[in-house]
Amino acid sequence: MVKGRLEAFSDGVIAIIITIMVLELKTPHKSDLAALRPLIPTFLSYVLSFVYVGIYWNNHHHLFQAVRQVNGSTLWANLHLLFWLSLFPFATAWMGENHFAALPVALYGVVLLLAAIAYFTLTRTLIFHHGQGSTLANALGRDFKGKLSVLIYAVTIPLAFATSWLACALYVLVAVLWLIPDRRIEKTLNS
């Protein structure tokens, strides 16, 4: 199967996810700066989630540059990823509206963890389909950054109950790790 429909569908779902998240930012009824203060936690959680969704979109785009075709397993693995990404608006809103309370922060970590596992599953499904010697397999290598992210998310879930702000700081740390451009696929395709 050609990959174009999968990419177009994924782009559409991700665009809708971002749209839903921004709709959670409610307009204050007053026109002074003080009216914006209660929105700060919601805005901060939105910014973090926007960055995460952007990272997934960017990496998904790069991933499929190294792919020639897809199969049924790939379609299901991609839907698995989109399912977890589609929970970002709920987890984001709950975390922001509750001022980064322990349970919403832990749930946010669960969603991040399961999205990361789903992305890892998608990459392994594509490697299995294209072979261990494929361009994609060579580009991803041992995927240290992906495995480290999963480990950090797993640690942050129970940590959120002890100190939710430290858990949030670790979420930001992982996002920063991924904001640094991952050029493995581009390098492999251009060599």
Side-chain angles (χ1 to χ4, degrees):
M1 292 182 246
V2 295
K3 61 183 181 172
R5 288 192 65 203
L6 179 144
E7 291 173 302
F9 178 75
S10 299
D11 286 349
V13 170
I14 290 170
I16 290 168
I17 289 167
I18 289 173
T19 302
I20 292 169
M21 285 190 320
V22 77
L23 292 175
E24 288 298 322
L25 295 174
K26 304 299 181 204
T27 307
H29 295 290
K30 295 182 179 179
S31 61
D32 59 345
L33 284 176
L36 294 175
R37 191 171 301 124
L39 294 176
I40 291 173
T42 304
F43 180 73
L44 291 175
S45 64
Y46 167 75
V47 169
L48 181 62
S49 291
F50 184 91
V51 168
Y52 266 111
V53 172
I55 288 166
Y56 274 104
W57 176 79
N58 193 322
N59 287 324
H60 191 272
H61 173 71
H62 283 95
L63 184 67
F64 279 89
Q65 281 185 327
V67 169
R68 293 184 319 273
Q69 60 188 358
V70 297
N71 61 8
S73 296
T74 305
L75 297 177
W76 283 109
N78 193 66
L79 281 172
H80 180 227
L81 171 63
L82 293 176
F83 172 78
W84 293 110
L85 294 180
S86 74
L87 292 177
F88 272 47
F90 172 77
T92 301
W94 197 34
M95 185 170 68
E97 288 178 19
N98 289 287
H99 300 254
F100 302 93
L103 185 58
V105 170
L107 177 72
Y108 190 79
V110 169
V111 172
L112 287 173
L113 174 65
L114 294 171
I117 290 170
Y119 187 82
F120 180 80
T121 302
L122 176 60
T123 62
R124 295 301 155 219
T125 302
L126 287 166
I127 289 171
F128 182 78
H129 180 63
H130 288 83
Q132 289 298 327
S134 66
T135 301
L136 180 62
N138 292 329
L140 292 178
R142 293 181 18 215
D143 194 20
F144 174 76
K145 205 161 48 166
K147 292 174 184 170
L148 177 63
S149 300
V150 168
L151 176 66
I152 292 172
Y153 296 145
V155 167
T156 59
I157 295 165
L159 179 64
F161 293 103
T163 172
S164 63
W165 287 104
L166 183 54
C168 288
L170 289 173
Y171 299 151
V172 171
L173 173 69
V174 173
V176 168
L177 285 174
W178 284 100
L179 276 176
I180 299 167
D182 188 357
R183 304 206 188 278
R184 294 176 295 175
I185 292 175
E186 287 179 10
K187 270 190 210 173
T188 304
L189 289 174
N190 291 329
S191 60

